[in-house]
Amino acid sequence: MKRISLALVLGCAALAAQAADKTAPAASAACEKSAADKKLHGAAAKSHIKKCMADASPAAPEAAASPACEKSAADKKLHGAAAKSHVKKCMADAASAPKS
């Protein structure tokens, strides 16, 4: 039973990896080239490619960020994680606010 479960998990992981490779081959090549240009090897290259691929793929929650929330973060001069957190909270507050 354990062997069947393990085989099933590995098969699903392989299929997911294949699907990811088909969806962004251009981004993958660009990320690998970027890692090579920076002379990264091993774990550093793998980490760089993974982050590069994540940055290249569209993120639905961030893409749907309200211009009002983004303006609010800019007005407060927030950057990086603080701005992202502010926009996320602003969006949650806007979604839970009663519509009248």
Side-chain angles (χ1 to χ4, degrees):
M1 185 67 174
K2 289 181 183 180
R3 289 183 184 180
I4 293 172
S5 297
L6 180 62
L8 183 61
V9 168
L10 292 176
C12 290
L15 288 174
Q18 253 184 350
D21 288 344
K22 288 180 183 177
T23 57
S28 175
C31 293
E32 289 174 6
K33 183 179 181 327
S34 172
D37 290 346
K38 293 181 180 187
K39 298 181 179 156
L40 299 175
H41 301 284
K46 186 176 180 181
S47 174
H48 173 77
I49 292 169
K50 182 178 178 182
K51 182 178 182 320
C52 179
M53 293 294 292
D55 291 345
S57 66
E62 294 172 8
S66 166
C69 292
E70 289 177 356
K71 184 178 181 331
S72 171
D75 290 346
K76 293 181 180 187
K77 297 183 174 138
L78 299 176
H79 301 283
K84 186 175 180 180
S85 175
H86 174 76
V87 169
K88 183 178 177 181
K89 183 179 182 312
C90 177
M91 294 296 295
D93 291 347
S96 66
K99 296 177 178 127
S100 32

